[in-house]
Amino acid sequence: MKTSINSRRGGTANTNTDMTTLTWWKFLFLASLILLVSFLIRLNYQLVQEISRPDDAALIADNTKSDAPDVDSEAEQRLKSLRSQVSGMKEKLGTIKGLVDDIQQQQQDGGGGGALSLQSNGKAINNNNNNNQKEFPRLTCTAEVAKKQANRMNARFAEWWSHSACPDQVWMENINEVFDVASGEGTPDSAKPYLILDIGCNKGYTSADFLDALSPGTNMNPRTLVGAIRSIAREMNTKFDRDGGVCQDSDKPLNKDRTTKSETEVHCFEPSPATYNMLTKARTKLMPPGETTAIWHIHNVGLHEVNGQMSWHNACATAVGDELCTIVPEGTKDAVPVPVVTVDKFLEDAYPNNNPASAMPLVHMLKIDAEGLDPAVLVGSTTLLKQNRAIMVMFEFNPGLSEKDPPHGMWGRGGNPRKKLLEVTAWLDELGYDCYLDTRHVDEKERAKGVSEAPALYRITGGCLTEEPRVRGWANVVCASRKYGNVASLLRNLATMV
C-alpha cells in the first residue's frame, strides 16, 4: 500500500485557504464574465446589422464579381474586423470561464481541509487534493500574455544558458501525495504500486530520485547510487565520466523520511550494454534480492515507435553513460544490435492481466530521455496517452543533437525526420495533456546581481508559447493529463506568468 511521506526538500508547509480572498476573486471573475458576455452580444448584434445592410451586402457581392480597384471595400473590412473581435472575445471568454471554474473548485475543496501547500521560491502554492475527479479545463493565453512570457523566458536563456537543462523540478515536492490523489482513493488503481517508466535511464539518477521520493526506506537514492557507481568504477580500475550526473544529480536534497517503504515499480530502460551491466551491479549493491516492496527493474532494450531490433553506435558496447549511444544506420561498421520495443507493447506484455483488459496500467510518470528520439518514443506510447493512463509525461527537447558529428535525433534543423517541439506538444494537447518548459529559479547570486524573478514553469499549451524556444543546449518538458485535475492544477499554478 502507498503511505504518505514527508517532503524531501524542506517538508510540507500547512496553510489554510483564505476563503475571503477566494470569494472576492470569484466575484471579480464573475463580473468580468458578465461584461465579456455583454460585449460579445453587442458585437454579434453589430455583425448582424452589417450583414443585413442591403447597400453593403450588394457592395460585397459586387466586389466578389469584379476586381475593379475603385470599388469601396469599407463594409467588408468592417465585417472582417467584427468577426475578428468576436473570435478573440470567444477565446478570452473560454479562458475566463475556465479560471472561474478552477477558483470555484478551490473554494469548495478549501472548506473540506486536506489542501496540499507547496513552496515555490518562498511563496505558498495551493494544490487541491480533491479536484482530480473533475477534469482540469483547457486554458489558453492571450497574445499579450504569451509575448510577455516568451520575453522573460528568452531573457532567462541569456542569464543562465542551462536554466531549462537542469531544472529545479519544483513539482516533485510531495509527489507521492500528488500521485495518491490522482489515483483516486478506494479505486483499483490506488491499491497498485506507483509505476515509473525511466526511458533512457543512463546512470540511473531519475530512477533513484523517484525511489527516494516514493519509497525512501528502500535506501535507493541519488547519494547511495553515486557511491555504488564509484565503488564499481574502482573495482574496474577506471572512472566513469560525470559519475554524479550531468546536472550534479547526486547532490539533490533527499527525502527527510528515511524509513517509509511504499509499493513502487521503477522500470529502467538502457540500450547500452556497458551501462546496463553497471546498473545491474549497482542494484545488487543497493537493493537486496529479497526486496519486494520497491523494485528497480533494469532492461537492456531501447524504446522506439516500432518493435524489433536496431543497430546502435559501438560506444554502447564499452563506454558507461556515453551519450553517443544512439541508433545508427543499418550496416554501420561495428554497430551493436539492440532490441527495441514500444511503450505500449512493453506494458501489454509486462501487465497482461490488467483489469479491465482493454485499459493500460496506470503509469504515474512516463520519463523519456532518448537522445533526440523522444518523439518516436511518444508515438510508441499512443495507446497509453490516448487512454490518459499516464498521469505525467517528462521528455527532453535537444535540437542541438541533430547538428553534432555524427548528427542524430529528430529535433532541430537536421532532425531525421525533423520534429518541432510545438508540433509534439500540440499532439499531446489533442490527447488531453498540458505541457510546460521546466526551469531553474533565480538563485541568491543572481538576485544579488539584480536578476528579476522567474517562474518555475513556462506554459506551452493553449497558445502560451507561439514559437520554438531558443534553447541553448537542451531543455526539459513536463506535461500532465487534464484528466487528473489536481496534477494539471499543480503545474498550472507553478507557471506564474500565465
Side-chain angles (χ1 to χ4, degrees):
M1 295 295 290
K2 301 167 188 174
T3 310
S4 177
I5 57 181
N6 294 326
S7 163
R8 20 177 233 151
R9 298 187 175 105
T12 303
N14 295 317
T15 57
N16 294 323
T17 304
D18 188 338
M19 297 297 292
T20 303
T21 302
L22 283 176
T23 301
W24 279 109
W25 274 108
K26 172 185 172 183
F27 284 118
L28 176 62
F29 276 111
L30 286 175
S32 301
L33 188 62
I34 292 170
L35 289 173
L36 284 170
V37 171
S38 301
F39 188 51
L40 190 59
I41 293 172
R42 181 173 69 84
L43 283 174
N44 276 284
Y45 175 70
Q46 292 180 356
L47 184 60
V48 170
Q49 280 189 319
E50 291 290 343
I51 292 173
S52 63
R53 288 174 60 181
D55 291 341
D56 288 346
L59 188 59
I60 294 170
D62 289 342
N63 256 352
T64 305
K65 297 175 182 178
S66 173
D67 293 330
D70 59 338
V71 177
D72 183 14
S73 62
E74 182 181 350
E76 186 176 6
Q77 294 301 319
R78 286 202 303 269
L79 282 174
K80 288 182 178 179
S81 176
L82 284 170
R83 289 189 182 109
S84 177
Q85 291 180 62
V86 169
S87 177
M89 293 307 295
K90 283 182 177 178
E91 183 174 319
K92 291 179 181 179
L93 187 63
T95 298
I96 292 293
K97 185 179 183 300
L99 290 172
V100 171
D101 290 342
D102 188 30
I103 288 173
Q104 287 176 323
Q105 187 65 48
Q106 288 185 28
Q107 187 176 30
Q108 293 169 6
D109 295 340
L116 177 63
S117 176
L118 305 180
Q119 292 296 321
S120 172
N121 208 25
K123 297 180 181 179
I125 296 177
N126 294 318
N127 181 51
N128 310 302
N129 274 6
N130 300 317
N131 68 347
N132 65 298
Q133 300 302 328
K134 182 178 180 181
E135 184 170 324
F136 191 73
R138 182 185 182 275
L139 304 179
T140 59
C141 285
T142 63
E144 294 78 9
V145 168
K147 183 177 180 180
K148 182 179 179 181
Q149 180 185 240
N151 289 342
R152 183 67 192 98
M153 181 182 68
N154 290 328
R156 192 79 183 108
F157 280 117
E159 295 161 0
W160 190 325
W161 75 269
S162 65
H163 79 91
S164 63
C166 300
D168 288 329
Q169 294 185 325
V170 177
W171 49 268
M172 276 285 286
E173 197 80 47
N174 300 297
I175 195 65
N176 65 306
E177 295 182 26
V178 174
F179 286 160
D180 288 348
V181 174
S183 298
E185 185 177 355
T187 65
D189 286 328
S190 66
K192 295 179 180 178
Y194 298 113
L195 183 54
I196 310 297
L197 302 187
D198 183 3
I199 299 168
C201 195
N202 203 285
K203 295 183 180 72
Y205 284 107
T206 296
S207 292
D209 208 17
F210 274 97
L211 283 165
D212 180 57
L214 301 173
S215 186
T218 309
N219 200 37
M220 169 62 176
N221 59 65
R223 302 273 180 86
T224 58
L225 178 59
V226 72
I229 290 174
R230 288 171 180 170
S231 174
I232 295 166
R234 287 193 297 271
E235 293 168 3
M236 297 174 62
N237 196 29
T238 187
K239 186 181 187 302
F240 302 134
D241 184 43
R242 292 184 285 192
D243 55 12
V246 68
C247 292
Q248 289 78 51
D249 304 277
S250 60
D251 294 335
K252 283 186 176 181
L254 301 183
N255 195 325
K256 289 188 174 183
D257 179 350
R258 303 310 316 151
T259 60
T260 299
K261 292 186 177 183
S262 299
E263 292 183 1
T264 307
E265 289 188 45
V266 177
H267 289 273
C268 160
F269 301 90
E270 178 50 54
S272 164
T275 306
Y276 166 78
N277 290 332
M278 183 277 291
L279 290 169
T280 56
K281 291 178 181 178
R283 180 180 60 186
T284 300
K285 289 178 177 293
L286 297 173
M287 304 180 76
E291 177 61 59
T292 57
T293 304
I295 305 173
W296 191 23
H297 305 279
I298 305 175
H299 311 276
N300 187 201
V301 299
L303 275 293
H304 207 268
E305 61 185 341
V306 295
N307 300 297
Q309 182 171 286
M310 291 186 173
S311 297
W312 295 70
H313 195 284
N314 58 15
C316 302
T318 56
V320 170
D322 195 320
E323 295 192 355
L324 281 176
C325 184
T326 187
I327 295 173
V328 295
E330 289 295 329
T332 299
K333 185 179 179 181
D334 298 327
V336 179
V338 177
V340 295
V341 66
T342 66
V343 169
D344 290 340
K345 176 63 174 172
F346 169 79
L347 291 173
E348 289 169 3
D349 292 344
Y351 300 91
N353 298 320
N354 199 54
N355 188 24
S358 60
M360 286 284 181
L362 184 65
V363 174
H364 294 79
M365 170 59 79
L366 172 63
K367 171 262 179 178
I368 306 169
D369 181 359
E371 291 304 305
L373 297 176
D374 306 63
V377 179
L378 286 167
V379 170
S381 314
T382 298
T383 301
L384 176 72
L385 298 172
K386 277 186 175 180
Q387 293 181 4
N388 277 241
R389 295 293 286 172
I391 296 175
M392 296 184 73
V393 179
M394 179 169 61
F395 63 90
E396 184 183 86
F397 171 62
N398 192 344
L401 289 175
S402 66
E403 299 175 21
K404 288 189 174 184
D405 184 20
H408 54 279
M410 303 168 76
W411 303 117
R413 289 177 293 181
N416 183 26
R418 183 182 181 184
K419 293 292 182 182
K420 294 183 178 180
L421 177 62
L422 295 189
E423 291 175 356
V424 173
T425 54
W427 176 69
L428 287 166
D429 182 17
E430 291 176 0
L431 298 180
Y433 287 83
D434 288 341
C435 293
Y436 300 80
L437 195 74
D438 205 355
T439 69
R440 293 180 70 97
H441 275 312
V442 174
D443 62 21
E444 292 301 325
K445 291 183 180 179
E446 290 182 294
R447 290 191 190 97
K449 296 178 181 178
V451 175
S452 59
E453 296 299 331
L457 300 177
Y458 293 97
R459 183 176 170 89
I460 299 172
T461 308
C464 298
L465 192 64
T466 58
E467 60 182 35
E468 297 287 291
R470 303 169 191 173
V471 171
R472 300 185 180 185
W474 68 95
N476 288 275
V477 177
V478 60
C479 311
S481 167
R482 292 189 288 270
K483 177 181 178 181
Y484 307 97
N486 72 304
V487 188
S489 175
L490 164 65
L491 297 192
R492 183 265 173 275
N493 288 339
L494 290 169
T496 54
M497 293 194 72
V498 299

